[in-house]
Amino acid sequence: MFDDFHAETIEVDEASVFVRHGGEGPPLLLLHGHPRTSATWHRVAPLLVARGFTVVCPDLRGYGRSRGPAPTADHSAHSKRAVAKDMVQVMRSLGHDRFGVAGHDRGAPVAFRLTLDHPEAVSRVALLDGLPLTEHLARVDARFATQWWHWFFFAQPDIPERVITADPDGWYRGDPVRMGQENHDEWRRATRNPDVVRAMLEDYRAGLTIDARHEDADRASGVRIRCPALILWSLRDDLEDLYGDPVAIWRNWATDVHGHGIDSGHHMAEEAPEPLAASLATFFAG
């Protein structure tokens, strides 16, 4: 994976961030989702390099090989605000003060928070298979709770750690053929690590508490995405089925926004790398 990419660990204020980066041209930060690592981009990143981008793929705080502080009672140590700050510092350490960012799944609210908190750093943002967390929560009904029950299970204290770490291979299922063997092996090592499992759960706990409060404060003060935004979603997943047009929802938060579906299951970077890379390259090229 990631031929001709550099791999290193970058120390930031509160975390040690494992990152892969390569290519030449406009910088583009790619943020993975749950329960993946930066390796989920192994088919997309080379395609974007070939299209003339510098591509940076980090493991988010606590995921994969990145490490952060111990969990806190208010979950702020794993808030999207804290993780977004990590990403700005990583990019600056690599010489990129302004860059494009794309986030998938749990990486989407990190990209969203990064764009709101650091608008001077983000030229364009792509938000994949995700909505603002408060938009999800405002639409919770029996159907959502049935299909996305894991949000509320992960938020419980202690219990999910015991359940998941008792049999991580049974809990987290992955296909090495679909994922790619090396990506699968890296992901499996991560999901077997109790510290990674705890950090991934803290991501969800923060989402239902401190992250939601941050979004509520932004909405009350009228903070919006200032840069162009691209919304992409997997047509063989349930985002559009649950909520209708995701672009219409994102218009509550951004003015220059458009998007379309990708013919894929949820993990679009692994299942549909060519159409995803083409959409991202066209958008980030301006």
Side-chain angles (χ1 to χ4, degrees), residues 18-244:
F18 175 77
V19 61
R20 297 169 160 106
H21 55 97
E24 296 182 359
L28 177 54
L29 175 66
L30 303 181
L31 305 179
H32 66 83
H34 173 93
R36 295 301 203 251
T37 73
S38 55
T40 195
W41 301 106
H42 72 104
R43 292 170 176 149
V44 171
L47 297 174
L48 292 171
V49 167
R51 288 174 176 262
F53 293 91
T54 295
V55 179
V56 181
C57 303
D59 289 351
L60 299 178
R61 176 184 292 203
Y63 284 77
R65 283 178 268 184
S66 292
R67 295 293 174 265
T72 52
D74 66 352
H75 312 298
S76 59
H78 292 81
S79 69
K80 309 305 173 287
R81 176 159 284 161
V83 181
K85 183 181 177 183
D86 291 346
M87 297 300 102
V88 170
Q89 293 181 340
V90 164
M91 293 301 279
R92 286 176 179 165
S93 74
L94 295 173
H96 310 305
D97 292 327
R98 188 166 171 81
F99 49 88
V101 57
H104 177 257
D105 184 77
R106 301 303 287 186
V110 175
F112 178 42
R113 175 52 52 196
L114 196 162
T115 305
L116 295 184
D117 285 1
H118 307 276
E120 76 289 344
V122 180
S123 58
R124 289 173 171 251
V125 62
L127 301 152
L128 286 51
D129 277 335
L131 300 174
L133 296 168
T134 51
E135 298 286 357
H136 284 291
L137 296 176
R139 293 165 173 79
V140 169
D141 57 14
R143 187 178 176 208
F144 176 95
T146 300
Q147 293 183 221
W148 290 37
W149 62 272
H150 64 282
W151 276 36
F152 309 103
F153 174 66
F154 289 169
Q156 303 306 309
D158 302 324
I159 295 172
E161 280 91 340
R162 296 202 304 271
V163 171
I164 294 170
T165 57
D167 184 13
D169 291 6
W171 183 269
Y172 292 115
R173 303 292 181 88
D175 180 351
V177 174
R178 180 173 291 182
M179 295 177 66
Q181 187 66 55
E182 290 178 84
N183 174 31
H184 178 273
D185 292 347
E186 178 175 313
W187 163 80
R188 179 57 72 201
R189 286 192 296 271
T191 59
R192 289 172 176 170
N193 184 330
D195 291 336
V196 171
V197 171
R198 177 70 186 277
M200 292 193 296
L201 294 171
E202 284 295 308
D203 174 4
Y204 281 84
R205 290 165 180 152
L208 296 182
T209 55
I210 189 169
D211 293 333
R213 292 196 294 271
H214 289 159
E215 286 187 14
D216 285 337
D218 290 329
R219 185 191 296 273
S221 60
V223 176
R224 293 169 63 83
I225 295 174
R226 300 180 189 175
C227 63
L230 174 68
I231 312 303
L232 300 175
W233 60 95
S234 304
L235 292 175
R236 286 183 267 129
D237 199 18
D238 59 2
L239 190 70
E240 187 175 14
D241 184 44
L242 281 171
Y243 304 120

Side-chain angles (χ1 to χ4, degrees), residues 259-270:
H260 59 86
I262 297 284
D263 185 14
S264 173
H266 180 63
H267 295 286
M268 59 172 70
E270 298 165 2

